[in-house]
Amino acid sequence: MENERYLELVNEKKFRQLKHEITEENEVDIASFLEELPLEKAALTFRMLPKELAAQVFAHLSLEFQQYIVEAVTDKELSAIVEDLFIDDMVDFLEEVPSIVVKRVLRNAKEDTRHLINQFLQYPENSAGSVMTAEYVGIKKSITVKQAFEQIRKYGVDKETIYTCYVTDPNRILEGIVSVKTLLLSDEDTGIQDIMDENIISVTTTDDREEAAHVFSRYGLLSLPVVDHENRLCGIITIDDIVEVIEEEATEDFQKMAGLTPSEKPYLKTGVFSLAGNRIVWLLVLMFSAMITGGILESFQDAFVAMPLLVAFIPMLTDTGGNAGSQSSTLVIRGMAVGEIQLRDAFKVLRKELGVSVLVGIVLAAANFIRLYFFQYPGNMMVALTIALSLIVTVIIAKAIGGLLPLGAKLVRVDPAIMAAPIITTIVDAFALIVYLMIAKALLKL
Amino acid sequence: MENERYLELVNEKKFRQLKHEITEENEVDIASFLEELPLEKAALTFRMLPKELAAQVFAHLSLEFQQYIVEAVTDKELSAIVEDLFIDDMVDFLEEVPSIVVKRVLRNAKEDTRHLINQFLQYPENSAGSVMTAEYVGIKKSITVKQAFEQIRKYGVDKETIYTCYVTDPNRILEGIVSVKTLLLSDEDTGIQDIMDENIISVTTTDDREEAAHVFSRYGLLSLPVVDHENRLCGIITIDDIVEVIEEEATEDFQKMAGLTPSEKPYLKTGVFSLAGNRIVWLLVLMFSAMITGGILESFQDAFVAMPLLVAFIPMLTDTGGNAGSQSSTLVIRGMAVGEIQLRDAFKVLRKELGVSVLVGIVLAAANFIRLYFFQYPGNMMVALTIALSLIVTVIIAKAIGGLLPLGAKLVRVDPAIMAAPIITTIVDAFALIVYLMIAKALLKL
C-alpha cells in the first residue's frame, strides 16, 4: 500500500484517480488506510469505492468508522452495503450500534435480508449461531457433479466459501457434505449422493462458539455446518471467523486471569475511564480480601514485637506461595480451555500437583536453608528451619489450591479463568502466613 | 465413533471386520481411539489400516505412539507412511525423536522425499519455514483455466490444499496466485495470466511463525505462500496449521506469564519431574529476588517494634500493587502479541496508565480511608492517611512499571511475556514497601 500517495490524492480531491489506483489493493489494507483519515475524508473516499468492494472494506472498518459511514451515506448507498455484506459481518455491526442505526439499516434492507438479520440477531452472544453466516452453497443429492459445478458457477460469487457444498433434503435437513476437491476429482456424471460424505461433523446454533472452535482445531476444518435442534441446516461457520474467535477467547482469558473485566476493544482505542472501570472491581474485591490476611497478621503482633526479623520473610513466603499456586492454576485453566483437562481428571491433577509441590518445595527450602544457616544468620538453626519448613508447607498448599480451584469453579459453572493469579495469591497469602507464624511460634518459642 | 464396539473387535482379534468398519471414521477419531489402546494393540490395529488412511492417522497420533509405531512396522510399511505423510507432519515428528529413528525414516524415504525432509529440518524452530508444507498445486501462467483444472485433477489428490494454485516462472519465482473460486467462475479458455492475482501476500521462510499467523488473521486467508529471500516459492502454510500455531503461541504466553518454562506437552501427559523442572527455575529466581524486599523490611525493623500494627497492612499494599501492575502488563503484553500495540506507542501507554492509575488509586484510597478512619481505627487520621497515600502512590508506580516493562523487554529483544505478574509483583513489592514505610515514618513520626 502506498498510503502516502493515496493520502495526497485524497487531499487534492483527485477521487477519480484514487478510485482507479486504490481498487487494486486488498480490502483489509484499504480499511486500514481509511482509518488513518479524518472521519469525514474517510467517508468521502469510502463512497467512491465500487459497490462490492465497499461492502468488503466496510466489514473490516472499526465500529466508529462503520457508524459514521452509515450516517453519512444515502439510503440507496446504505441499501447496497447491506445487501452486499455477509450476514455475519452485518450482525456483528448491528449488535454494537444504537437502535436508531439498526432501524435505519433494517429499513433499507430487502425483505429477505431483513428477515435473516432479525433471525441472526436473536442468537445468544458467543453462541455458534452468532458467528455463523447464511451464505453457503446448498445442493440436492439427486443432481450430478456437473450440475453441482453449474450451481457453484451460478450462485457461488456471493458465497463466503464455495469449497464445501451442503446437501439438504426439501425440509432443509442436512444430509451430507461434499467438497469441491471431491467434485473436481470425480467424473462429471457421478451423482452427488454417491460421493457425499454422510459422516457429518456439525454444531448446534446454541452451542458455545468456543465449542465450535474446538471442533475446528480437532478436525482441521475449513468450514462447519450449524444446525438447529431438528438437524436443519441454519448456516455455516468459516475458518476465518474461528481464527478470530480463538484469538478473542484467549484474550478474554488473559484479561480474566489478570483480574480484569474482559473487553474486546483494543487497548489503545479504549478511554481512560473505561480502562479504569474494567480494573477497579477486581482491585477492590481483592484489596478487601487481603484485609483478612491483615487480620491474621494483627493477631500475631506479639510475635513481631518479640522478633521483628520475622517480618522480613513475609514477602518472600507470600510471593513464592502465590507464584507456585498461579503456575498450577494457569496450567489447569489453559488445559481446560483447550480441552485437554476435564472435570473427571481432578484426582490426576491433585496427584500431580502434590508430587510436583513436594519436589519443588524441597528444592526451595534447601536453597533457603543453606543461604540462611550458612550465610545470613550463621548457626541459627531454628530460624533457618522455620523458613524452610514454612516454604515446603506453603508450596504444597499453594499448588493443591491452584490445581483444584479452577476445576471447582468449572464444577459450579463459574469460568475457571477467574481462579487465576490474583485470587490464588490472595487465598494462598492467608494460608502461608498462618503456616509461617504457627511454625515460628512453635520452633522459636515466641 | 463406537469405540466400545471397535475395542471388542480388537480384543477378539477380528481385524478384518474392524478394518471394514473403522475406515469409515474420521482420521482424527481413529487416532484418538488408537491412543486409548495399549501400545502393542494400537500398533497392530494401525498396521491393518489402508495405506493412505494410515498416514493420515499417523499425523494425528501423539509422539509416543508415533515413535512406537515407527519401531513396530517393517521397512516397507515405514516407507509407505513416509511417502504418504505431508512433509510438515513428517518434519514435526522427526524434530522430536532420537536421531536413530530419524536415520531409519530417512533410509526408507525415496530420494526426493529425503532431500525435502533434510531441507525442511534446517528451518529454524518456530519459523514460517518450519510450519510450511511442500504439497501445493503449482502452475504456469501460460496455460488456460481448462488446463489448470486438468492439472488439479491429475496432481491434486496428494496436495494439502487445492483451493489456491500458485503461479511460478521457470526459476520458481512466485508470479501470482489464483483461487479455485476464480477458476470456477472464469471461462475455461481464459489464460491464467489474465486472471491471476499478482498482488501477492507472502512471508519469508525465516519469518517468525507468529508473524505468519498475524498475516492470516489480518487478511482472513486459507493458505499463504512462503518464499525465500530471492522470492522463490518454497512452500505454503495452510490455515489448519496456523490455528495450531495461534493456540500454541497463546499457551506459551500463558505459561511464560505465570513464570513457567514453556512446554508444548499436554499437562496430563507430562511427568511430575518435568512439571517440577518447568517451574523451579522461575520460583528460585523470584524467591531470591523477593529477598531484596526482605532486606528493605529488615532495615525498617525499628518502625515495626514501635508500631506493630504497620505489619498488618503489608499484604494488602503489596497485593494491590501487584494486581494493579499485572493488569497493565497483561493488557500490554497481549496487545503486542496480537499486533495492536507497537514499540512506538510507549508514550501513549504511559499516558493511559498514568490516567488510569490516578483514577483507580483515588477510588481504592478513598475506600480504605473510609473503612479505617470511620470503622476500624475511628478518629486515627494519620494511620488512615498513611494507608490511603501509600495506596495511591503504589498504584501509580505499579501501573507505570506494568505498562512500560513489557515494551522495554521488546526494545531489548526479550520476550515481553516474561514481564508479567510474577516479575511485576516482585518489583512492585519493593517499591510499595519503600513508599509505605517512608510515608509512615513521616506521617506517624516513627
Side-chain angles (χ1 to χ4, degrees):
Chain A
M1 281 285 289
E2 300 166 72
N3 284 4
E4 278 170 40
R5 159 100 182 127
Y6 299 139
L7 190 58
E8 225 171 82
L9 291 175
V10 170
N11 287 332
E12 292 168 9
K13 302 213 168 93
K14 291 187 179 163
F15 286 109
R16 185 186 293 263
Q17 181 63 22
L18 178 64
K19 176 179 179 172
H20 180 70
E21 291 184 22
I22 207 170
T23 47
E24 293 298 305
E25 299 286 350
N26 184 294
E27 67 265 21
V28 181
D29 293 323
I30 300 177
S32 297
F33 169 67
L34 292 183
E35 293 198 353
E36 284 174 24
L37 299 177
L39 279 171
E40 211 178 322
K41 281 189 181 159
L44 271 175
T45 313
F46 178 84
R47 293 176 69 178
M48 64 83 209
L49 293 173
K51 205 166 82 59
E52 207 163 308
L53 184 61
Q56 289 169 355
V57 170
F58 185 85
H60 288 98
L61 286 173
S62 71
L63 192 62
E64 189 190 2
F65 278 81
Q66 286 180 332
Q67 207 169 329
Y68 186 84
I69 280 169
V70 166
E71 282 160 16
V73 298
T74 65
D75 278 6
K76 203 178 148 206
E77 286 169 320
L78 181 58
S79 169
I81 297 174
V82 174
E83 294 305 322
D84 274 338
L85 262 186
F86 287 127
I87 186 79
D88 54 340
D89 293 327
M90 187 80 252
V91 170
D92 278 354
F93 167 64
L94 291 180
E95 274 172 348
E96 304 291 336
V97 296
S99 65
I100 186 158
V101 180
V102 178
K103 280 184 195 148
R104 179 154 177 253
V105 167
L106 287 178
R107 213 170 44 231
N108 287 289
K110 288 189 191 145
E111 203 187 321
D112 283 1
T113 314
R114 187 163 57 236
H115 182 75
L116 210 54
I117 291 176
N118 273 322
Q119 182 196 331
F120 271 63
L121 280 172
Q122 280 163 27
Y123 293 115
E125 208 185 348
N126 293 339
S127 67
S130 74
V131 287
M132 73 184 184
T133 180
E135 287 88 0
Y136 56 85
V137 179
I139 56 177
K140 301 287 165 221
K141 66 177 167 187
S142 53
I143 66 172
T144 63
V145 168
K146 192 177 174 189
Q147 288 169 315
F149 274 123
E150 278 162 15
Q151 291 199 13
I152 293 174
R153 289 203 172 91
K154 194 163 164 196
Y155 303 111
V157 189
D158 294 330
K159 303 305 179 191
E160 190 147 356
T161 177
I162 62 158
Y163 298 134
T164 309
C165 300
Y166 298 87
V167 186
T168 53
D169 77 0
N171 296 317
R172 275 205 299 127
I173 305 283
L174 184 58
E175 296 180 307
I177 57 173
V178 57
S179 70
V180 165
K181 184 170 181 176
T182 307
L183 289 177
L184 278 173
L185 300 176
S186 303
D187 190 84
E188 62 176 21
D189 295 324
T190 315
I192 293 300
Q193 60 186 334
D194 298 328
I195 51 170
M196 73 183 189
D197 187 353
E198 288 164 275
N199 209 339
I200 310 165
I201 298 160
S202 66
V203 291
T204 310
T205 46
T206 48
D207 282 349
D208 197 294
R209 61 178 196 165
E210 214 173 348
E211 172 59 27
H214 284 166
V215 174
F216 265 92
S217 55
R218 178 173 166 91
Y219 294 102
L221 305 173
L222 293 181
S223 59
L224 177 67
V226 184
V227 296
D228 65 13
H229 292 278
E230 276 84 46
N231 204 30
R232 279 190 301 253
L233 184 61
C234 299
I236 60 166
I237 302 180
T238 50
I239 181 81
D240 53 320
D241 293 318
I242 280 299
V243 167
E244 257 176 57
V245 167
I246 292 174
E247 293 203 320
E248 278 174 19
E249 293 282 343
T251 298
E252 207 181 295
D253 279 355
F254 275 113
Q255 294 176 340
K256 283 189 191 150
M257 289 169 73
L260 289 154
T261 313
S263 150
E264 281 180 16
K265 216 169 167 183
Y267 174 85
L268 290 176
K269 293 191 177 168
T270 313
V272 168
F273 282 90
S274 302
L275 283 175
N278 293 338
R279 300 182 191 187
I280 193 67
V281 182
W282 273 105
L283 286 180
L284 275 172
V285 169
L286 293 165
M287 187 179 77
F288 283 109
S289 314
M291 287 169 189
I292 299 169
T293 320
I296 295 171
L297 287 174
E298 225 181 316
S299 69
F300 282 93
Q301 278 191 23
D302 302 348
F304 299 125
V305 176
M307 193 171 181
L309 177 64
L310 285 182
V311 178
F313 297 108
I314 290 178
M316 190 267 283
L317 277 170
T318 56
D319 282 0
T320 304
N323 290 332
S326 315
Q327 288 181 332
S328 309
S329 72
T330 299
L331 286 178
V332 173
I333 291 169
R334 184 64 184 161
M336 283 197 281
V338 299
E340 276 167 17
I341 299 178
Q342 317 292 332
L343 260 186
R344 62 167 184 270
D345 299 317
F347 187 68
K348 280 189 211 161
V349 170
L350 183 62
R351 215 169 40 194
K352 269 195 202 291
E353 288 307 314
L354 287 181
V356 172
S357 57
V358 169
L359 284 177
V360 168
I362 288 176
V363 173
L364 294 177
N368 246 305
F369 185 89
I370 292 168
R371 185 184 69 99
L372 293 173
Y373 185 69
F374 293 101
F375 301 98
Q376 205 164 358
Y377 308 104
N380 195 335
M381 171 67 88
M382 281 305 153
V383 165
L385 213 55
T386 299
I387 303 303
L389 268 180
S390 304
L391 260 175
I392 294 184
V393 180
T394 297
V395 169
I396 292 175
I397 294 176
K399 290 216 169 280
I401 292 177
L404 291 184
L405 267 194
L407 289 162
K410 178 97 176 180
L411 189 67
V412 297
R413 286 157 194 273
V414 168
D415 189 334
I418 303 291
M419 297 301 166
I423 280 202
I424 299 289
T425 305
T426 308
I427 297 174
V428 169
D429 273 7
F431 282 98
L433 289 173
I434 294 176
V435 165
Y436 170 48
L437 294 167
M438 281 172 59
I439 292 179
K441 276 204 157 185
L443 292 188
L444 303 170
K445 305 203 169 50
L446 297 172
Chain B
M1 281 287 288
E2 300 165 73
N3 284 6
E4 279 171 38
R5 159 102 183 127
Y6 299 141
L7 190 59
E8 225 171 83
L9 291 175
V10 170
N11 287 331
E12 294 169 7
K13 301 212 167 94
K14 292 187 177 161
F15 287 110
R16 183 186 294 263
Q17 180 63 22
L18 178 64
K19 175 178 180 174
H20 180 70
E21 292 184 22
I22 207 169
T23 46
E24 292 298 306
E25 300 286 350
N26 185 294
E27 66 264 23
V28 181
D29 293 322
I30 300 177
S32 297
F33 169 68
L34 291 183
E35 294 198 352
E36 285 173 24
L37 299 177
L39 279 172
E40 211 179 319
K41 281 187 181 162
L44 270 176
T45 312
F46 177 85
R47 293 176 69 178
M48 63 85 211
L49 292 173
K51 204 168 83 58
E52 208 164 306
L53 184 61
Q56 289 169 354
V57 170
F58 186 85
H60 288 98
L61 287 172
S62 71
L63 191 63
E64 189 191 3
F65 278 81
Q66 286 180 332
Q67 206 170 329
Y68 186 85
I69 280 169
V70 165
E71 282 160 16
V73 298
T74 65
D75 277 8
K76 203 179 148 208
E77 286 169 320
L78 181 58
S79 171
I81 297 174
V82 174
E83 293 307 322
D84 273 339
L85 262 187
F86 288 128
I87 187 81
D88 53 342
D89 293 327
M90 188 80 252
V91 169
D92 279 353
F93 167 64
L94 291 179
E95 274 171 347
E96 304 292 335
V97 296
S99 66
I100 185 157
V101 179
V102 178
K103 277 184 194 149
R104 178 151 179 256
V105 167
L106 287 177
R107 212 170 47 229
N108 287 288
K110 290 188 190 144
E111 203 187 320
D112 283 1
T113 314
R114 186 164 57 238
H115 183 76
L116 209 53
I117 291 175
N118 273 322
Q119 182 196 332
F120 272 62
L121 280 172
Q122 280 163 26
Y123 293 115
E125 208 186 346
N126 294 340
S127 67
S130 74
V131 287
M132 74 185 184
T133 181
E135 288 88 358
Y136 56 86
V137 178
I139 55 177
K140 301 288 165 220
K141 65 177 169 189
S142 53
I143 67 172
T144 63
V145 169
K146 193 177 173 188
Q147 289 169 313
F149 274 123
E150 277 161 16
Q151 292 199 13
I152 293 174
R153 289 204 172 91
K154 194 163 166 196
Y155 303 110
V157 189
D158 295 331
K159 304 306 180 191
E160 191 148 354
T161 178
I162 62 159
Y163 299 134
T164 310
C165 300
Y166 298 86
V167 186
T168 53
D169 78 358
N171 295 319
R172 274 205 300 124
I173 304 283
L174 184 59
E175 295 180 306
I177 57 173
V178 57
S179 69
V180 164
K181 184 172 182 174
T182 307
L183 290 177
L184 278 174
L185 301 176
S186 303
D187 191 83
E188 62 177 19
D189 295 325
T190 315
I192 293 300
Q193 60 186 334
D194 298 328
I195 50 170
M196 72 182 191
D197 187 354
E198 288 164 277
N199 208 339
I200 310 164
I201 298 160
S202 67
V203 292
T204 311
T205 47
T206 50
D207 281 348
D208 198 295
R209 62 178 195 164
E210 214 172 348
E211 171 60 26
H214 284 166
V215 174
F216 264 91
S217 54
R218 178 173 165 91
Y219 293 103
L221 305 172
L222 293 182
S223 60
L224 177 67
V226 185
V227 297
D228 65 13
H229 293 279
E230 277 85 44
N231 203 30
R232 278 189 302 250
L233 185 60
C234 299
I236 61 167
I237 302 179
T238 50
I239 181 82
D240 53 319
D241 293 319
I242 281 299
V243 167
E244 257 176 57
V245 167
I246 291 173
E247 293 204 319
E248 278 174 21
E249 293 282 344
T251 298
E252 206 180 295
D253 279 355
F254 275 112
Q255 294 176 340
K256 282 189 193 149
M257 289 167 74
L260 291 153
T261 312
S263 152
E264 281 180 17
K265 216 170 168 184
Y267 174 85
L268 291 176
K269 294 189 176 168
T270 313
V272 168
F273 281 91
S274 303
L275 283 175
N278 293 338
R279 302 184 190 185
I280 193 67
V281 182
W282 273 106
L283 286 180
L284 275 172
V285 170
L286 293 166
M287 187 178 77
F288 283 109
S289 314
M291 288 170 189
I292 299 169
T293 320
I296 295 171
L297 286 174
E298 225 179 317
S299 69
F300 282 93
Q301 275 191 24
D302 303 348
F304 299 123
V305 175
M307 194 171 180
L309 178 64
L310 285 181
V311 178
F313 297 106
I314 290 178
M316 192 266 285
L317 277 170
T318 54
D319 282 1
T320 304
N323 290 333
S326 315
Q327 287 181 334
S328 308
S329 72
T330 299
L331 285 178
V332 173
I333 292 169
R334 183 64 185 161
M336 283 197 281
V338 298
E340 277 167 16
I341 299 177
Q342 316 290 334
L343 259 186
R344 63 167 183 271
D345 299 316
F347 188 67
K348 280 190 211 162
V349 170
L350 183 62
R351 215 171 37 192
K352 269 195 202 290
E353 288 307 315
L354 287 181
V356 171
S357 59
V358 169
L359 283 178
V360 168
I362 288 175
V363 174
L364 294 176
N368 247 304
F369 185 86
I370 292 168
R371 186 184 69 97
L372 293 173
Y373 185 68
F374 293 101
F375 300 99
Q376 206 163 0
Y377 308 104
N380 195 335
M381 172 67 88
M382 281 307 155
V383 165
L385 213 55
T386 300
I387 304 304
L389 267 180
S390 304
L391 261 175
I392 294 183
V393 180
T394 298
V395 169
I396 292 175
I397 294 176
K399 291 217 168 280
I401 292 177
L404 292 184
L405 267 194
L407 289 162
K410 179 96 177 181
L411 190 67
V412 296
R413 286 160 193 271
V414 167
D415 189 334
I418 302 292
M419 298 302 166
I423 281 203
I424 298 288
T425 304
T426 308
I427 297 174
V428 169
D429 273 8
F431 281 99
L433 289 173
I434 294 176
V435 165
Y436 170 48
L437 293 166
M438 281 173 58
I439 291 179
K441 277 205 157 185
L443 291 188
L444 302 170
K445 308 202 166 50
L446 297 171

